[in-house]
Amino acid sequence: MIVILLGPPASGKGTQAVALCTRYGIPQISTGDMLRQAQAAGTALGKDAARYMSAGQLVPDSVVIGLVGERITADDCKNGFLLDGFPRTQAQAEALDKLLSEKQCPLDAVLQLDVPRELLVERAVLRRTDKATGKIYHLKYNPPPEGAVLEHRSDDQEDKVNKRLDDFERVTTTLIPYYQARGLLRRVDGVGSLSEVQARLFAALPG
Ligand code: AMP
């Protein structure tokens, strides 16, 4: 099972990816998480990417394509994987096609999470990550346990969120007709409780 989770920032991709990956026994490949890890580890790639990320800008295609190209050769990707936050540009989508055809592994589905923009801004601005567990909470809709040490992503500040949403609408939505033309796109309503959205995603997957 090779699946792409396509959705704007704060549409719930990260949270829903965990449930999908558990169900299908496949790893979650989040380019955002990989870049944040590289940044935390202080690698040259991480430092370079941090300049773009903290400004709410996309990291250059060559960097993320390189990361994904290497990651999908790992042993745990043998039975498939879920891509969360990749591809985000036409160049990335084409590079992915090339990588998958080299592996002779077809893409099964592209799940597009639809959430209105006003809700996305509210979700991102009130989103917090538990530093110890990495779990994602929302101060209003999914409050963290008392005493949790929380982190607010610097790119989840309102001005950065708006920039990221603009980029999504301008650049990433061009991938919708790209996958639609190949009959791979499934649109899923991303508004509702975690379990409601999860059920819709499961129902949208083949088999
Ligand atoms: P995310 O956690 O998916 O919201 O990604 C956080 C940030 O990482 C983005 O705002 C970009 O700066 C960078 N990033 C993650 N994935 C990509 C990608 N596929 N292409 C370019 N930049 C990315």
Side-chain angles (χ1 to χ4, degrees):
M1 172 74 80
I2 300 181
V3 184
I4 294 174
L5 203 43
L6 184 71
S11 57
K13 295 190 301 296
T15 309
Q16 294 297 345
V18 176
L20 288 166
C21 288
T22 306
R23 175 164 173 157
Y24 290 97
I26 52 176
Q28 171 192 6
I29 302 183
S30 157
T31 40
D33 284 350
M34 289 165 91
L35 292 165
R36 280 185 287 276
Q37 277 157 15
Q39 199 178 329
T43 64
L45 186 150
K47 283 185 190 151
D48 193 34
R51 290 189 293 130
Y52 297 93
M53 294 168 78
S54 59
Q57 290 169 0
L58 290 178
V59 170
D61 287 332
S62 57
V63 175
V64 282
I65 291 167
L67 281 177
V68 171
E70 193 181 320
R71 178 66 183 87
I72 66 175
T73 60
D75 236 27
D76 63 341
C77 291
K78 272 206 310 264
N79 298 323
F81 44 86
L82 178 142
L83 290 164
D84 156 11
F86 180 94
R88 265 172 154 101
T89 66
Q90 185 72 28
Q92 291 176 23
E94 286 167 13
L96 177 66
D97 283 342
K98 198 159 166 260
L99 288 167
L100 294 182
S101 76
E102 280 163 13
K103 267 175 87 82
Q104 295 187 315
C105 291
L107 186 57
D108 292 283
V110 179
L111 300 172
Q112 181 197 344
L113 268 179
D114 281 327
V115 180
R117 181 159 176 147
E118 318 77 72
L119 200 55
L120 293 170
V121 175
E122 189 197 46
R123 281 192 184 175
V125 171
L126 296 180
R127 174 162 64 179
R128 298 291 184 275
T129 310
D130 185 322
K131 274 185 106 165
T133 63
K135 281 185 86 170
I136 304 165
Y137 294 98
H138 187 277
L139 296 181
K140 191 165 146 190
Y141 301 120
N142 178 25
E146 217 170 303
V149 181
L150 301 172
E151 201 162 40
H152 188 204
R153 280 169 47 176
S154 64
D155 58 352
D156 274 347
Q157 312 287 338
E158 191 160 351
D159 57 332
K160 310 279 171 48
V161 173
N162 276 306
K163 163 94 187 64
R164 292 163 63 209
L165 290 171
D166 289 344
D167 277 350
F168 180 83
E169 282 161 19
R170 192 174 46 84
V171 184
T172 310
T173 53
T174 62
L175 303 183
I176 293 170
Y178 182 75
Y179 289 120
Q180 209 159 25
R182 287 157 56 185
L184 291 169
L185 195 80
R186 315 264 186 281
R187 293 186 75 153
V188 174
D189 180 2
V191 181
S193 68
L194 291 183
S195 54
E196 279 164 353
V197 178
Q198 186 180 315
R200 289 179 204 141
L201 287 165
F202 285 165
L205 280 171

